[in-house]
Amino acid sequence: MAEASPAAANAELLEWPKKDKRRFLHAVYRVGDLDRTIKFYTECFGMKLLRKRDVPEEKYSNAFLGFGPEQSHFVVELTYNYGVTSYDIGTGFGHFAIATEDVYKLVENIRAKGGNVTREPGPVKGGTTHIAFVKDPDGYIFELIQRGPTPEPLCQVMLRAGDLGRSIKFYEKALGMKLLRTVDKPEYKYTLAMLGYAEEDQTTVLELTYNYGVTEYTKGNAYAQVAISTDDVYKSAEVVNLVTQELGGKITRQPGSIPGLNTKITSFLDPDGWKTVLVDNEDFLKEIQSE
């Protein structure tokens, strides 16, 4: 039997992310006071503290929070590095978003707890969705979106991109995401794209924003990455490697196990330098069950 041509083999490889079992697992970012952030997220947002770990030999602690168990929900992984009390968020990171059935009530609660409301609740300009914005104690922005009941209230990660067409192509091809919708607002000079593995009211999505004429942003040292599940980190890394040759970006960690954890991962940067970690599905479930 004749071997498949390289083009045919590549075409088959590029089908893999669409067949793979993928979902957003967590967003990783750094905070200056772990207990302060845990208190804010649990009391103001209604998140649950799912687990904590302290790694004194590496001088850091983590806390995982979300609206449901890690086996089925997107969560935040907060990192506290001993002695570091503040970080630079940079200009590229946008916001996280939380869906709520009553944005007015949620904002009232956040304000009563001393939270910083940066945009009062109300309809979006030229639309009907009611939203608000708040800042957490480290300056991370959370958009609060009023919508009906959803299995995943922690519903968006927004990052800014310098070339939206290129980024959409990258996340479709390298990560198998679906483009759910794009919104162009020439009067405000921006375009945004929503990408994910299911519809926006069912899951967490990646929101990419392009501001007209802005091609580069600072990354700061606060936001780190998102993690996404896969059934095969090796095959997934092959796909990413292929796509980076066409669209830019690069693999930053070859696929393999994390020493001491035995969880297989691979990590890479997109064309704007935003980092994603792909984590083996089975290994991830074992890891969270063992803690």
Side-chain angles (χ1 to χ4, degrees):
M1 191 172 134
E3 278 193 28
S5 69
N10 285 351
E12 193 185 332
L13 190 59
L14 288 169
E15 287 300 306
W16 163 246
K18 296 172 202 160
K19 299 173 191 164
D20 195 9
K21 196 173 155 198
R22 298 199 173 183
R23 69 177 183 90
F24 284 88
L25 301 175
H26 47 252
V28 183
Y29 53 103
R30 302 170 185 99
V31 298
D33 181 332
L34 206 51
D35 291 334
R36 176 184 68 183
T37 304
I38 291 167
K39 186 176 161 67
F40 188 86
Y41 288 7
T42 53
E43 292 183 3
C44 293
F45 295 149
M47 287 188 197
K48 299 177 187 81
L49 174 62
L50 302 166
R51 60 185 168 120
K52 259 176 107 171
R53 65 177 170 212
D54 188 32
V55 188
E57 62 276 17
E58 301 282 340
K59 298 194 168 122
Y60 75 88
S61 306
N62 290 128
F64 295 79
L65 296 101
F67 291 99
E70 286 177 77
Q71 286 89 335
S72 54
H73 285 71
F74 183 60
V75 307
V76 294
E77 177 182 335
L78 308 175
T79 301
Y80 168 69
N81 292 301
Y82 291 11
V84 186
T85 56
S86 67
Y87 292 93
D88 168 25
I89 291 175
T91 59
F93 175 79
H95 61 253
F96 300 110
I98 293 171
T100 175
E101 289 182 57
D102 189 340
V103 73
Y104 295 87
K105 194 173 161 189
L106 182 57
V107 167
E108 210 176 287
N109 177 55
I110 292 166
R111 184 176 276 118
K113 300 266 186 350
N116 179 3
V117 180
T118 58
R119 182 214 191 266
E120 292 298 327
V124 294
K125 288 171 184 165
T128 55
T129 307
H130 288 242
I131 64 163
F133 282 93
V134 299
K135 255 187 196 177
D136 82 356
D138 288 276
Y140 291 101
I141 294 172
F142 281 77
E143 180 180 5
L144 310 175
I145 304 169
Q146 187 163 291
R147 59 169 66 143
T150 172
E152 185 48 87
L154 191 55
C155 59
Q156 279 177 12
V157 178
M158 192 277 258
L159 304 171
R160 297 182 177 96
D163 178 335
L164 196 58
R166 178 183 65 181
S167 293
I168 290 168
K169 236 193 242 181
F170 183 87
Y171 283 97
E172 284 178 325
K173 290 177 89 166
L175 280 159
M177 289 186 193
K178 296 183 192 82
L179 175 62
L180 302 168
R181 65 185 172 111
T182 56
V183 178
D184 186 32
K185 295 273 188 183
E187 64 276 29
Y188 302 114
K189 298 192 169 147
Y190 74 81
T191 309
L192 58 85
M194 299 290 189
L195 295 116
Y197 296 107
E199 291 306 314
E200 282 176 72
D201 59 351
Q202 296 299 310
T203 186
T204 306
V205 299
L206 178 66
E207 177 181 347
L208 298 174
T209 299
Y210 169 68
N211 291 300
Y212 291 10
V214 186
T215 56
E216 281 183 31
Y217 294 93
T218 61
K219 297 288 174 302
N221 60 359
Y223 171 80
Q225 69 223 25
V226 289
I228 290 172
S229 63
T230 175
D231 277 341
D232 188 336
V233 295
Y234 299 95
K235 206 167 178 181
S236 295
E238 277 185 67
V239 175
V240 172
N241 194 38
L242 195 61
V243 176
T244 57
Q245 290 166 37
E246 179 200 348
L247 296 169
K250 64 174 181 184
I251 294 206
T252 51
R253 186 189 179 109
Q254 292 301 326
S257 295
I258 302 168
L261 263 186
N262 296 323
T263 300
K264 292 183 288 295
I265 67 164
T266 185
S267 65
F268 59 90
L269 303 179
D270 78 357
D272 287 286
W274 295 116
K275 187 178 174 185
T276 299
V277 179
L278 287 165
V279 183
D280 179 272
N281 266 314
E282 281 185 26
D283 292 350
F284 175 71
L285 291 173
K286 280 181 204 154
E287 185 190 322
I288 56 178
Q289 279 154 10
S290 69
E291 288 204 14

